[in-house]
Amino acid sequence: MASDRLRIITTPSDLAALVAELRATGWFAFDTEFVGEDRYQPEVCLIQVSTDDFDALIDPLAPLDPSSIWELVADPAIEKLVHAGSEDLSLCQLQIGKPAANVVDLQIAAGIAGIGFPINLARLCRVTTGERLHKSQTLTDWRRRPLTQEQITYAAEDVRHLPGARRHLHTLLTKLNRWHWLTEECNDLCIETAKQKSEPTQLSRLKGAGSLRGRELTIAEALLVERNALAQQLDRPARVVLKDHLLIELARRGWTDIERIRSLRGISVSAAALKRLATAIEAAKKLPAKPDNELEIEGDSNEEEMLLSLLTAVLRDYCNRETLSYSILATKDDLRKVVRPYTRGDAKGQSPLEKGWRQGAVGSLLVDLIEGRRRLAVQRSGTAFGLSMIE
């Protein structure tokens, strides 16, 4: 990496000049290095940006205010290039209370182009630009100063090849007429990452909540609120203060006696925190119970497993023929939402496969197959096999 490409930004004046240059350019590649395992909110230790002309490493631990960079990340007039950027983008909501906008996630782009999903940065660069990265600082301490030369090189490489990868993928997706698919998916990504940080007490984000019923769900929701308040006060990650499986167990048992709560293996909070948890449980018991099975995903019946396997095979064959990565197109739960209105009259929620770019790609293929308007046949060409749909 040529040294004249690299800028280390540690002063407000250098940051102001950089922000003005990026705004004039109209786009930049973006990444962060942060530490999140021991704090309530992740600590951003480095912000990396890159254009065709330079790479810049912004040091948030220096005496400067990095909010002007986050304002660019939130600015819909400026395109940001990221790779697997959901965690980095979610920081925008935390830092300035605004969601990221106008993002091109090149990992998603690679999936839509049929290169693979998820794809790591080293392989993405090798496939798109021919560059070979040497990643070796994944467990480094980004809080330590001064940064080593190895850390600086690693951080700059995280962004400097993204513009070239973007050009390669833009050419592919334009030929496939799928760039608008990518735009839609990345817009949804920005919305979802903002929700994750602005709604930390949502039951749907609690692992194991689907096994709870009525009153248990009410208690779990109250415990989520109290856990989040404790975590914020202690400046610790919420799941460190009270692990998900322990919260689920407390919701299920409904204990309000502090000694009984303390008896659960893995509980390691103070007596004052135990009292707050007990008080939250007691208050929740007086509230209306949530509807049963609000978050439950029931096990699939034998018939449903058969249909899900069939539809998976159909979509995998479609992806093979259409140069699209299956794992970006559909999940098993997406397919359940197609199947269950037929198997159990479950009309809740529209499958992602029935809206947006996925509906444009797949159309009514799966519904037509289930309803008998199309038949499936195995097609052979030499030693290769595929599926064909007969109307």
Side-chain angles (χ1 to χ4, degrees):
M1 178 174 60
S3 59
D4 58 355
R5 272 194 60 94
L6 181 63
R7 308 176 190 177
I8 308 294
I9 308 297
T10 58
T11 67
S13 60
D14 286 347
L15 179 60
L18 174 67
V19 167
E21 191 169 354
L22 293 174
R23 189 174 294 280
T25 301
W27 65 270
F28 60 91
F30 167 76
D31 191 29
T32 66
E33 303 296 345
F34 60 88
V35 178
E37 61 267 18
D38 60 355
R39 302 284 294 273
Y40 174 67
Q41 292 186 354
E43 181 180 8
V44 182
C45 301
L46 200 65
I47 302 171
Q48 305 103 283
V49 300
S50 185
T51 69
D52 284 330
D53 300 320
F54 64 85
D55 311 314
L57 307 184
I58 303 152
D59 188 355
L61 305 186
L64 55 77
D65 179 2
S67 60
S68 56
I69 282 290
W70 293 110
E71 291 290 345
L72 292 182
V73 175
D75 190 338
I78 299 171
E79 181 180 89
K80 278 72 62 176
L81 312 180
V82 300
H83 169 266
S86 60
E87 290 186 325
D88 306 290
L89 298 175
S90 69
L91 294 170
C92 191
Q93 185 73 37
L94 289 177
Q95 296 294 317
I96 61 172
K98 298 178 183 179
N102 194 359
V103 167
V104 174
D105 191 316
L106 297 172
Q107 185 180 73
I108 295 173
I112 292 176
I115 294 173
F117 183 86
I119 184 172
N120 63 42
L121 181 61
R123 182 165 180 263
L124 176 72
C125 291
R126 191 164 63 249
V127 170
T128 59
T129 68
E131 298 286 348
R132 293 188 174 272
L133 307 190
H134 304 286
K135 311 299 284 179
S136 61
Q137 301 291 313
T138 52
L139 298 178
T140 194
D141 183 0
W142 291 104
R143 290 173 174 153
R144 185 175 297 176
R145 294 295 184 273
L147 295 172
T148 67
Q149 186 57 51
E150 289 79 11
Q151 286 176 310
I152 290 170
T153 300
Y154 173 97
E157 279 204 331
D158 270 352
V159 287
R160 77 164 311 194
H161 303 296
L162 297 186
R166 192 258 192 216
R167 283 188 285 272
H168 180 93
L169 288 164
H170 182 266
T171 298
L172 288 180
L173 291 178
T174 300
K175 287 180 179 177
L176 293 167
N177 193 27
R178 292 180 188 170
W179 189 258
H180 62 290
W181 293 7
L182 175 62
T183 300
E184 180 188 320
E185 194 73 4
C186 290
N187 287 343
D188 288 346
L189 173 69
C190 290
I191 294 169
E192 183 59 28
T193 54
K195 281 183 179 179
Q196 288 174 5
K197 294 303 179 184
S198 62
E199 301 173 355
T201 60
Q202 273 198 332
L203 270 174
S204 60
R205 304 192 193 285
L206 176 63
K207 185 178 180 181
S211 65
L212 300 178
R213 303 289 186 275
R215 179 71 59 197
E216 299 167 346
L217 286 168
T218 305
I219 295 172
E221 189 169 61
L223 286 171
L224 275 174
V225 172
E226 193 58 49
R227 179 177 77 169
N228 190 63
L230 281 168
Q232 194 166 8
Q233 178 183 320
L234 298 170
D235 194 19
R236 301 285 287 169
R239 286 182 171 87
V240 171
V241 172
L242 182 65
K243 291 182 171 58
D244 282 358
H245 75 278
L246 293 172
L247 191 153
I248 292 293
E249 191 65 18
L250 286 175
R252 189 173 285 121
R253 293 177 183 270
W255 288 339
T256 56
D257 181 82
I258 290 177
E259 290 308 313
R260 296 188 79 182
I261 296 173
R262 195 197 306 272
S263 71
L264 281 180
R265 184 159 52 90
I267 293 283
S268 59
V269 295
S270 67
L274 286 172
K275 185 175 181 180
R276 287 174 60 173
L277 294 175
T279 300
I281 293 170
E282 186 172 3
K285 286 184 171 181
K286 299 173 184 177
L287 298 174
K290 288 184 172 294
D292 283 346
N293 305 326
E294 183 174 291
L295 299 175
E296 183 181 20
I297 298 177
E298 296 179 19
D300 301 312
S301 67
N302 291 336
E303 292 79 6
E304 287 167 343
E305 282 287 0
M306 177 189 68
L307 278 172
L308 290 170
S309 296
L310 175 63
L311 298 188
T312 298
V314 168
L315 287 187
R316 285 191 179 279
D317 179 73
Y318 168 85
C319 289
N320 287 339
R321 288 185 286 105
E322 299 295 329
T323 318
L324 179 65
S325 298
Y326 172 80
S327 52
I328 194 115
L329 177 65
T331 67
K332 193 168 186 178
D333 195 44
D334 295 339
L335 292 175
R336 280 193 187 97
K337 289 177 180 176
V338 175
V339 166
R340 289 194 172 181
Y342 298 94
T343 58
R344 58 182 75 185
D346 184 359
K348 289 192 303 180
Q350 186 180 32
S351 170
L353 288 162
E354 298 171 291
K355 57 187 177 181
W357 71 264
R358 290 175 175 84
Q359 197 280 332
V362 178
S364 61
L365 172 65
L366 301 183
V367 171
D368 285 351
L369 185 61
I370 293 172
E371 294 185 354
R373 288 189 291 273
R374 298 196 192 191
R375 291 179 292 127
L376 190 62
V378 177
Q379 194 171 44
R380 178 174 180 174
S381 177
T383 58
F385 287 85
L387 300 177
S388 63
M389 304 297 294
I390 304 171
E391 297 189 21

